[in-house]
Amino acid sequence: MEADPEDVWWLFGVIAGDGHVGRYFVEISDMYKENLEVVAGVIKKLGYKAVITRDRRENRYRLWVNSKAFADLVRGIGTPIPRVEFDRIAFVQGLYDAEGYVEFWKPRKIIRINFANKDEEIIRLVIRTLKGIGIEKPYIRYSMRCYRVQIYRKVDVLTYIKNIGFRYPSKQRRLLSFSF
């Protein structure tokens, strides 16, 4: 079993968003174990072993890859943004799975897809990618020491879902809970 390039770039997006790369390990955390099981599946395709543990203090799960070779691979490609040619859509999908969220905004009765990150370079990459798939008006603001990108026009939300979407089961369920 081998990971395809799209899986790899999605994984690197997840790591850039929710991961920590140490000298001998890579760690990713999430509130939902099922999300990390998707990540573990991609890591397994790459030939590495991922272990998922529950952190009761923080009420979340942590995925660990205790492998210097894997940590070196991630650092070699580059974080937060790869230093090599890469699949931007898969990478941005990983970022949104890690740092994005979906909500129903009651004041305007619309669905919003949000993304937050402190790194300006990541935000520029996300905006370029969103505009590249036809999202005309992503809303960008800076608050609480990070940048926020919001997609809220119905046509833009549908374009995001069609062209990027989510792999994390919790976010797919959240989207399905809304009617379009």
Side-chain angles (χ1 to χ4, degrees):
M1 185 169 24
E2 197 172 301
D4 66 31
E6 189 176 297
D7 286 341
V8 175
W9 293 118
W10 171 80
L11 174 63
F12 279 97
V14 169
I15 292 169
D18 264 350
H20 172 74
V21 182
R23 189 170 178 186
Y24 300 103
F25 69 92
V26 174
E27 174 202 2
I28 303 167
S29 67
D30 196 85
M31 289 179 57
Y32 301 98
K33 184 177 182 180
E34 66 187 341
N35 293 344
L36 294 179
E37 289 169 345
V38 174
V39 176
V42 173
I43 291 169
K44 184 178 181 180
K45 288 179 185 177
L46 289 171
Y48 298 95
K49 181 181 177 191
V51 175
I52 300 172
T53 59
R54 182 173 163 104
D55 184 341
R56 295 188 192 286
R57 294 172 299 153
E58 295 186 20
N59 195 28
R60 60 191 308 107
Y61 293 90
R62 296 192 186 283
L63 176 145
W64 297 87
V65 181
N66 291 313
S67 165
K68 184 177 184 322
F70 186 70
D72 288 346
L73 171 70
V74 174
R75 272 195 309 279
I77 288 176
T79 59
I81 295 189
R83 292 184 292 264
V84 297
E85 195 63 36
F86 65 101
D87 182 335
R88 282 192 345 202
I89 290 176
F91 185 79
V92 167
Q93 182 187 49
L95 286 170
Y96 266 87
D97 274 327
E99 297 288 338
Y101 63 98
V102 180
E103 67 180 346
F104 181 75
W105 194 42
K106 290 180 184 178
R108 292 184 65 194
K109 296 180 175 50
I110 59 172
I111 298 165
R112 289 194 306 196
I113 298 175
N114 301 287
F115 174 77
N117 198 285
K118 293 180 178 183
D119 190 308
E120 276 186 72
E121 191 177 3
I122 285 182
I123 294 299
R124 283 193 300 272
L125 171 74
V126 167
I127 295 301
R128 276 194 317 273
T129 304
L130 294 175
K131 287 183 175 183
I133 64 165
I135 293 177
E136 292 180 26
K137 296 188 179 186
Y139 176 70
I140 307 142
R141 66 186 174 102
Y142 185 81
S143 69
M144 299 174 64
R145 290 185 286 193
C146 73
Y147 296 92
R148 300 182 188 284
V149 178
Q150 295 178 340
I151 304 167
Y152 58 87
R153 293 179 37 207
K154 185 175 182 176
V155 67
D156 289 341
V157 168
L158 293 172
T159 299
Y160 176 88
I161 293 167
K162 178 183 175 200
N163 294 295
I164 297 178
F166 295 102
R167 287 194 193 192
Y168 274 3
S170 66
K171 295 189 178 163
Q172 291 173 349
R173 266 195 318 277
R174 181 84 172 138
L175 268 179
L176 290 174
S177 71
F178 302 121
S179 60
F180 288 90

